[in-house]
Amino acid sequence: MISCFIFDLDGVIVNTSVHHFRAWQQIAKRLGIEFSENDNQKLKGISREDSLNTLLEIGNQKVSDIEFKKLLDLKNSIYLDLINGLDKTAILPSVTEKLNFLKSSSYKIALASSSKNAKTVLNRIGLNDYFDAVIDGNRITKPKPDPEIFLTAAKLTESNAENCAVFEDAFAGISAAKEAGMLAIGIGNKEDLYNADYVFEDFGQISNQFLKSL
Ligand code: B16
Ligand code: MG
């Protein structure tokens, strides 16, 4: 029986994935690497460092440690510029309704995002108060697909892993949830998230009854 729901942030709660993609596109352009929306699927949910390594692999390139750090900082400043005006209009469809339902039904709710900017994003969209625990990229040592982030969420909400369900939009995030022994609910399409237990296009497709039955 599920007693705790763990939400990913980018691509699940808020539409910031497109801003991550645009920022990486600018880095790719600077490096002379062709970087498509399809390539971007590989970057979803993984850390900034792992994303840059993946981009360099795509372009078959190597850079010095100093250049690597510079590119990470540049990507982040481009991303921060892009989300400068972020507000609650960026919340994805039916997310607030689902959070209200879960809160009023006394489920535990946690946020588990690889992003080191998760708290900034959460503040800007004004959803802070819903979460019993917030775990971001600053708080973990092993990023998704490692299960650490979700196991930490279980610990902080005093939940057993088998009583947790995770909402994720990334293959790496679904892998991490499964590795943690949790139920994995994909938000996106079945082709990309074939490793999930269930997949829905968005929260509008998930009924309260379904959540209660888990
Ligand atoms: P940052 P999530 C992830 O957030 C994004 O999906 C991924 O594209 C990004 O590289 C990662 O956060 C790190 O973000 O550069 O802001 O620390 O989907 O786990 O909420
Ligand atoms: Mg995500």
Side-chain angles (χ1 to χ4, degrees):
M1 189 169 184
I2 298 302
S3 56
C4 176
F5 285 91
I6 305 174
F7 288 71
D8 172 55
L9 181 67
D10 296 313
V12 165
I13 287 186
V14 69
N15 68 2
T16 37
S17 306
V18 61
H19 304 309
H20 280 295
F21 174 49
R22 296 230 168 94
W24 282 123
Q25 263 187 322
Q26 291 197 38
I27 299 297
K29 197 169 169 201
R30 201 185 163 94
L31 291 164
I33 297 172
E34 286 280 330
F35 180 63
S36 65
E37 209 160 344
N38 201 28
D39 293 325
N40 187 56
Q41 281 300 118
K42 297 182 197 141
L43 269 51
K44 279 192 181 169
I46 65 172
S47 69
R48 204 179 303 163
E49 290 76 5
D50 289 345
S51 299
L52 181 53
N53 275 322
T54 306
L55 179 64
L56 290 166
E57 260 169 43
I58 292 170
N60 207 11
Q61 289 197 24
K62 281 195 169 42
V63 294
S64 68
D65 290 353
I66 295 172
E67 183 63 8
F68 191 86
K69 170 89 182 57
K70 263 201 217 158
L71 290 167
L72 289 182
D73 290 346
L74 180 61
K75 186 271 170 177
N76 199 45
S77 70
I78 298 168
Y79 176 68
L80 289 176
D81 275 351
L82 290 169
I83 62 161
N84 199 18
L86 199 78
D87 61 20
K88 60 178 189 306
T89 59
I91 299 172
L92 288 165
S94 306
V95 168
T96 312
E97 290 90 317
K98 278 304 149 213
L99 285 170
N100 280 327
F101 165 72
L102 294 174
K103 198 88 198 150
S104 64
S105 309
S106 301
Y107 286 100
K108 297 255 176 70
I109 310 175
L111 185 112
S113 166
S114 300
S115 176
K116 291 182 174 151
N117 299 299
K119 286 193 176 153
T120 307
V121 170
L122 209 51
N123 275 326
R124 290 202 184 147
I125 59 175
L127 292 183
N128 250 319
D129 290 350
Y130 285 97
F131 298 96
D132 299 298
V134 173
I135 305 98
D136 66 8
N138 299 296
R139 202 155 172 178
I140 46 148
T141 55
K142 288 171 273 169
K144 300 170 190 174
D146 191 279
E148 182 189 358
I149 194 162
F150 294 130
L151 293 173
T152 307
K155 198 172 163 193
L156 292 176
T157 55
E158 298 175 353
S159 311
N160 293 322
E162 67 264 31
N163 301 126
C164 294
V166 174
F167 295 113
E168 256 294 347
D169 70 316
F171 186 86
I174 298 285
S175 300
K178 295 311 299 168
E179 192 63 29
M182 299 178 179
L183 189 81
I185 306 173
I187 303 294
N189 70 67
K190 285 191 176 130
E191 289 71 39
D192 293 332
L193 304 176
Y194 60 84
N195 52 344
D197 295 301
Y198 302 94
V199 181
F200 297 93
E201 231 170 83
D202 60 43
F203 280 95
Q205 313 296 313
I206 305 179
S207 71
N208 295 345
Q209 240 171 341
F210 168 74
L211 294 178
K212 272 167 108 173
S213 74
L214 295 173

